[in-house]
Amino acid sequence: MRSLLLVTAILTLPFSNALSSGLTLYGSQGSRSPLVNWYMNELGVDYEMLPPRPNPHPFGQVPVLTDGDDVIFESGAILLHIANKFDKAFKPSHTPWVVWANTCLDPICFKENERGQVIGTSLGKPNRKIDVLEEMLGQSDFLVSNEFSVADCAVASYLNYVPLFNPDASLSSIPNTVKYMSRMASRPAFVEAFGEGHAGLVQVKCEEFLNSSGGPAGEKKIFGIF
Ligand SMILES: N[C@@H](CCC(=O)N[C@@H](CS)C(=O)NCC(=O)O)C(=O)O
Ligand SMILES: *[C@@H]1O[C@H](CO)[C@@H](O)[C@H](O)[C@H]1NC(C)=O
């Protein structure tokens, strides 16, 4: 009996480990759960994906992640949990950007009615914080230390939803941000997480924004008089 148990243990343990990391993400493309998929794909973290409902989120929303017995909700909290557990390059200076994306960038990107439906965007309109972001992204391809990090997952995911939810938005006034959005949407882990439709739409819209912002030639036309 004892040897049978031992054999069963030896046979099942490695397989159950290989099949699952113990992480389960509830969500779907079209919600904001793919921002979590994106980061886990970038890191090569293994996880199980389940549909949005039923789920253990206290408010019934997505995304929500379970890690064994732990239930983690709020997209930013989920990103930081994964960062702490799996990302060897994770630094304290990444954390503020994840929190900033959820608290400050979200309401700039998405104006919502009282029922939580997106009715517009303030991105592309004059905004002190977005001006700073635009300046930073003119100096560097990434938000922190000129390398890809969880900060980019958090911020670029929100930015890249804007053309999807607001087909009439114009981002021609922030070309560095638009180029950043396009770079992020071309990463294979992004395409896999959000889907080719979403990534392709971001690419086309970004090209449109850059075309109508004029680039260096357009700037010369405007300031040529001086
Ligand atoms: N602040 C939350 C927002 C979550 C959220 O609004 N989820 C939406 C989908 S993107 C949802 O589940 N809506 C359905 C509901 O509220 O019941 C986060 O970042 O995770
Ligand atoms: C952007 O401009 C180029 C060159 O004029 C053009 O070939 C391309 O189709 C334009 N793209 C979009 C999406 O408007």
Side-chain angles (χ1 to χ4, degrees):
M1 191 60 192
R2 193 193 277 169
S3 65
L4 184 66
L5 276 178
L6 196 66
V7 167
T8 314
I10 288 169
L11 281 178
T12 54
L13 265 178
F15 285 106
S16 55
N17 279 349
L19 279 174
S20 168
S21 57
L23 297 179
T24 301
L25 178 64
Y26 297 77
S28 63
Q29 282 185 352
S31 76
R32 69 181 90 192
S33 57
L35 73 93
V36 180
N37 297 70
W38 178 19
Y39 187 38
M40 294 203 280
N41 294 348
E42 292 276 357
L43 295 174
V45 171
D46 194 30
Y47 57 95
E48 180 193 17
M49 193 72 211
L50 286 182
R53 282 178 190 79
N55 75 49
H57 191 300
F59 310 122
Q61 293 185 309
V62 292
V64 57
L65 181 86
T66 56
D67 183 353
D69 292 335
D70 290 316
V71 176
I72 304 120
F73 63 100
E74 278 294 320
S75 54
I78 298 172
L79 289 179
L80 292 173
H81 175 69
I82 295 162
N84 272 311
K85 197 161 171 178
F86 299 103
D87 190 344
K88 291 190 182 72
F90 178 53
K91 295 201 284 197
S93 50
H94 298 149
T95 303
W97 289 104
V98 176
V99 176
W100 183 76
N102 279 208
T103 55
C104 291
L105 183 58
D106 184 339
I108 295 170
C109 289
F110 311 109
K111 284 197 276 188
E112 291 182 1
N113 64 16
E114 56 283 0
R115 281 187 290 159
Q117 295 160 322
V118 177
I119 52 166
T121 184
S122 301
L123 193 67
K125 301 187 180 137
N127 181 292
R128 188 173 54 84
K129 289 166 192 150
I130 299 300
D131 288 348
V132 173
L133 189 71
E134 172 69 7
E135 169 107 32
M136 288 177 58
L137 293 172
Q139 315 282 317
S140 171
D141 281 354
F142 303 100
L143 284 174
V144 182
S145 310
N146 208 16
E147 57 196 11
F148 181 84
S149 73
V150 66
D152 298 296
C153 273
V155 169
S157 293
Y158 280 54
L159 295 173
N160 283 357
Y161 276 121
V162 169
L164 194 81
F165 281 98
N166 306 275
D168 299 330
S170 172
L171 308 186
S172 301
S173 59
I174 46 172
N176 298 330
T177 305
V178 169
K179 285 179 209 154
Y180 170 74
M181 290 164 63
S182 171
R183 280 197 301 280
M184 293 300 132
S186 71
R187 295 177 74 89
F190 180 98
V191 181
E192 194 189 334
F194 288 88
E196 283 178 11
H198 177 121
L201 181 90
V202 172
Q203 298 294 8
V204 170
K205 295 298 278 186
C206 285
E207 205 181 299
E208 267 178 39
F209 298 142
L210 292 174
N211 275 0
S212 54
S213 82
E219 274 162 36
K220 239 181 250 147
K221 240 182 265 161
I222 295 165
F223 299 112
I225 170 174
F226 296 106

